Amino acid sequence: MPHNFQLLDSREGIHLYQHDGNGMQLVIVPKRGQKDVMTWSMLYHVGSVNETLGNTGATHFLEHMAFKGSKHFSGRHGIMPTMMSSGGNVNAYTG
């Protein structure tokens, strides 16, 4: 079990965990026979449907900010360079 996560459900090899501190959920779906391959998705349950008149575009702006990094994770050590140097692809979308 991942650290600080509680198992909520497990069916047909798919496991759903929830973080004890912030409620973040983690779904683990093993793909048998595929080595050294991982897909990672981060979903926020907010979007343009949650925007109000005078507050439009915020979701799209935050989508772009996802790639900006942070104080200790930016520049050549940021999200995109780190993922791409490992053979990964980075993308984001709103819907």
Side-chain angles (χ1 to χ4, degrees):
M1 178 183 327
H3 185 66
N4 293 328
F5 281 83
Q6 180 183 142
L7 180 65
L8 296 181
D9 199 0
S10 186
R11 297 180 192 181
E12 299 180 24
I14 300 171
H15 311 288
L16 174 63
Y17 294 91
Q18 185 166 331
H19 191 272
D20 294 333
N22 61 16
M24 179 179 74
Q25 293 186 339
L26 173 67
V27 179
I28 298 177
V29 184
K31 295 285 188 172
R32 306 287 182 229
Q34 292 184 349
K35 296 183 179 182
D36 300 329
V37 175
M38 182 184 90
T39 300
W40 175 64
S41 297
M42 184 177 290
L43 305 173
Y44 296 94
H45 295 281
V46 296
S48 55
V49 70
N50 303 103
E51 294 180 356
T52 59
L53 187 62
N55 189 30
T56 58
T59 303
H60 188 77
F61 172 74
L62 291 173
E63 172 191 342
H64 286 273
M65 293 301 291
F67 299 112
K68 293 296 182 187
S70 66
K71 180 179 177 181
H72 300 288
F73 196 63
S74 63
R76 64 186 177 101
H77 301 290
I79 295 168
M80 290 184 73
T82 300
M83 294 293 290
M84 294 174 77
S85 70
S86 301
N89 292 317
V90 182
N91 198 358
Y93 66 94
T94 57

